[in-house]
Amino acid sequence: MPQAGTITALRAQARDPERVNVFLDGRFAFGLGRQIAVDEGLRVGDVLDTTRVDTLRAADDVGKATNAALNLLARRPRSIREIRDRLHEKGYNTATIDAAVARLEGWNYVDDADFARFWVENRVAHKPRGRRLLEQELWQKGVDRETARDAVDRSELDEHDAALAIANAKIRSYAGLDRDVAYRRLGGLLARRGFGYDVVKPVLDEVLPRDGQID
């Protein structure tokens, strides 16, 4: 494919009318988003040197990366690091990813504080867990510790009620077990869900009989 030359044709792509094929000196050179071509004022007869071609291709990569990110965000909110990781998996380079993320931030489409609030609210409503695990999940998604902590602080999380709901839902599966066995198993489950001992012990004492087997 030619790396420079005179534009001899700009043709809409058959499979995607929002993209055009650019021909230089009669040969296909590269594809480009239609809006980029319009914004750049490309016309038949324009002479493109290698620098201009590289700049256009880089701009097109940013556009494609941005669209890929928007498709991800259409499914659910994402942290900035999640977006970066997914774009990296798709083969985009760091400069392209930086530019795409900056564009999304400028549009207020990505914001880690908003994402953290969404994540915590969703977990509290549908998958109860403790503060520790909520913050850990956010850290793993690239949210900084202060932002994660603030999101949990601002939530309606009641760790005792959340742990109690899990315990009451699980206690039936321990029917016939000695209290000590059920205590260890249910305590381990609640600990893995991110609840501290100060929450777990009162809940265990509330849902488990003092002696004998679980009914």
Side-chain angles (χ1 to χ4, degrees):
M1 293 184 291
Q3 302 299 312
T6 301
I7 298 178
T8 50
L10 294 166
R11 298 174 185 168
Q13 293 185 359
R15 294 185 179 181
D16 186 352
E18 292 305 310
R19 294 184 60 78
V20 297
N21 290 329
V22 180
F23 290 77
L24 298 179
D25 298 330
R27 298 172 57 197
F28 170 77
F30 55 91
L32 195 63
R34 177 182 291 277
Q35 191 58 50
I36 295 174
V38 171
D39 291 343
E40 293 293 326
L42 297 185
R43 298 286 187 274
V44 171
D46 288 350
V47 178
L48 305 182
D49 59 19
T50 56
T51 299
R52 183 81 186 283
V53 169
D54 288 344
T55 298
L56 290 170
R57 284 176 167 166
D60 190 52
D61 283 344
V62 173
K64 289 189 289 187
T66 302
N67 286 335
L70 290 172
N71 287 335
L72 292 172
L73 291 168
R75 299 169 194 164
R76 70 162 174 82
R78 312 258 177 175
S79 69
I80 291 174
R81 196 178 78 184
E82 282 186 297
I83 292 293
R84 288 183 175 278
D85 289 347
R86 291 298 296 273
L87 292 179
H88 179 74
E89 291 171 6
K90 291 178 179 293
Y92 294 104
N93 63 40
T94 301
T96 298
I97 293 171
D98 287 346
V101 168
R103 182 176 293 178
L104 294 170
E105 289 180 310
W107 294 339
N108 294 319
Y109 281 10
V110 291
D111 180 279
D112 277 353
D114 288 343
F115 168 76
R117 286 192 291 272
F118 159 82
W119 186 265
V120 173
E121 289 170 3
N122 183 270
R123 286 298 203 231
V124 169
H126 304 293
K127 295 182 178 180
R129 56 203 58 211
R131 162 183 287 274
R132 186 180 64 205
L133 184 54
L134 284 170
E135 292 185 3
Q136 180 180 326
E137 288 177 339
L138 289 171
W139 300 339
Q140 291 172 343
K141 291 183 176 298
V143 177
D144 67 77
R145 291 177 182 269
E146 183 177 349
T147 300
R149 189 180 306 115
D150 183 66
V152 177
D153 286 342
R154 292 172 179 270
S155 74
E156 297 180 358
L157 173 66
D158 183 317
E159 286 197 290
H160 178 272
D161 286 353
L164 184 60
I166 295 171
N168 283 330
K170 190 67 176 178
I171 195 67
R172 300 180 187 86
S173 66
Y174 297 147
L177 294 179
D178 288 338
R179 183 180 190 275
D180 288 346
V181 175
Y183 197 99
R184 288 195 301 272
R185 291 187 181 180
L186 185 53
L189 171 65
L190 293 176
R192 290 191 297 275
R193 291 288 186 91
F195 299 100
Y197 181 76
D198 60 324
V199 175
V200 172
K201 185 179 186 305
V203 168
L204 294 179
D205 290 341
E206 187 172 342
V207 301
L208 295 172
R210 292 295 177 182
D211 50 47
Q213 294 183 328
I214 310 302
D215 295 330

